[in-house]
Amino acid sequence: MDANRYFDAMHNAMLAQHPGAQLLLTVKLQDTCGNDACLELKQLPGESTSILCYSTMGRRCLNFQLFRKGWQLCHNADGQLVGRFPSSADGLIDETDFRAYCREDRLDMPRTQRITAELRQCAGINYQGSIPQNARTGAVITVESFVGAGARWTYWSQDVLPSLPLGAILYWLADHLAGAERRTLQADPQAARLAAQWLAGDTAVFFHPSVPMTAMNTVSSGSAPARRRTTVPAARNKSWQSIMAVMAGM
């Protein structure tokens, strides 16, 4: 499976999960080693939050799964050859449900508003960077915005970011990935600092107790002391630990 077919399959799988959603942003990371990733940020009509869909398996691992599936089709449980290996991967790809390799998380209203506001300011500003032909490391990153007039950025992961706010947005979204894909999108230290500043600039989103302190200290007459409700700040979530680590070093 080549990169174009991989991204098309992931897009169709994510589209099938939310057919009526409005697409806000797509991110395609094509790695030289096949550690690809696909992310799509979308919003359902009438909602103020957004949904982030992302792939959980790169092209290299997915190709191995397809090969394994083809091997199982021509061998029995004892490992004996009982048929012919498929001559083409088309049949294996058509029979694969790519929704099994996609996950989704929901971004709250403040983060959604921050991302859409930054994308609206960058609308109409396209960028096409220089892509090396025979590189052994690195990745091609293609980001397409559908907010406002829209925009498209294509650049090499080891080059300077075409837009610092764009890099900060990718830093946020990459927290949902793992391994090499996450490290690639979070490699720029300036984008990390800007993402941390956004986080610190709206502390009400990440540090808000569900019960006011005055209510926690109130004890009803003739009853046992009210049990305190402990709320874990959202910043303790694993998906935000990388940003908090940057803030700690500022």
Side-chain angles (χ1 to χ4, degrees):
M1 174 184 289
D2 59 16
N4 291 332
R5 196 161 190 178
Y6 169 82
F7 290 125
D8 288 342
M10 288 299 176
H11 169 70
N12 293 333
M14 296 176 184
L15 181 64
Q17 294 178 349
H18 303 281
Q22 177 188 358
L23 200 57
L24 302 177
L25 184 74
T26 62
V27 182
K28 299 177 182 178
L29 189 151
Q30 182 179 344
D31 185 79
T32 54
C33 298
N35 297 318
D36 300 341
C38 181
L39 302 94
E40 292 189 358
L41 186 66
K42 56 189 66 178
Q43 193 171 33
L44 292 173
E47 292 192 358
S48 56
T49 59
S50 58
I51 301 172
L52 176 64
C53 300
Y54 54 96
S55 57
T56 59
M57 184 175 293
R59 178 165 43 95
R60 182 180 62 176
C61 294
L62 191 56
N63 283 335
F64 175 78
Q65 292 295 329
L66 292 175
F67 176 83
R68 180 173 176 267
K69 184 177 181 180
W71 189 92
Q72 291 175 338
L73 291 175
C74 60
H75 291 76
N76 59 19
D78 297 327
Q80 298 174 340
L81 183 64
V82 295
R84 298 183 59 183
F85 194 87
S87 59
S88 173
D90 294 341
L92 296 175
I93 295 175
D94 294 338
E95 296 175 0
T96 301
D97 186 3
F98 287 90
R99 291 176 298 180
Y101 308 110
C102 300
R103 291 189 61 184
E104 64 179 53
D105 286 320
R106 186 170 290 272
L107 301 186
D108 55 23
M109 182 179 65
R111 280 179 285 179
T112 301
Q113 290 179 344
R114 165 68 72 172
I115 292 175
T116 53
E118 296 294 337
L119 292 178
R120 192 170 289 109
Q121 292 184 4
C122 298
I125 306 176
N126 299 321
Y127 178 83
Q128 176 63 53
S130 177
I131 308 299
Q133 298 298 321
N134 299 314
R136 295 181 178 270
T137 60
V140 180
I141 301 175
T142 302
V143 184
E144 190 167 2
S145 169
F146 300 91
V147 177
R152 182 184 177 91
W153 303 271
T154 301
Y155 64 99
W156 187 246
S157 61
Q158 298 175 351
D159 290 344
V160 179
L161 286 170
S163 168
L164 188 57
L166 174 65
I169 292 174
L170 297 182
Y171 195 96
W172 271 9
L173 301 183
D175 265 332
H176 299 265
L177 299 176
E181 302 93 323
R182 174 173 177 169
R183 291 191 295 270
T184 299
L185 294 179
Q186 294 185 339
D188 191 279
Q190 292 184 348
R193 285 193 291 268
L194 180 58
Q197 291 174 8
W198 287 352
L199 176 63
D202 196 358
T203 55
V205 180
F206 304 97
F207 302 98
H208 61 287
S210 59
V211 179
M213 293 300 295
T214 55
M216 292 172 61
N217 295 329
T218 302
V219 180
S220 58
S221 59
S223 61
R227 184 178 180 181
R228 292 190 177 185
R229 295 176 58 186
T230 303
T231 302
V232 179
R236 290 187 182 180
N237 187 291
K238 291 183 179 180
S239 64
W240 294 100
Q241 288 181 354
S242 60
I243 295 180
M244 296 305 298
V246 175
M247 292 181 61
M250 293 178 63

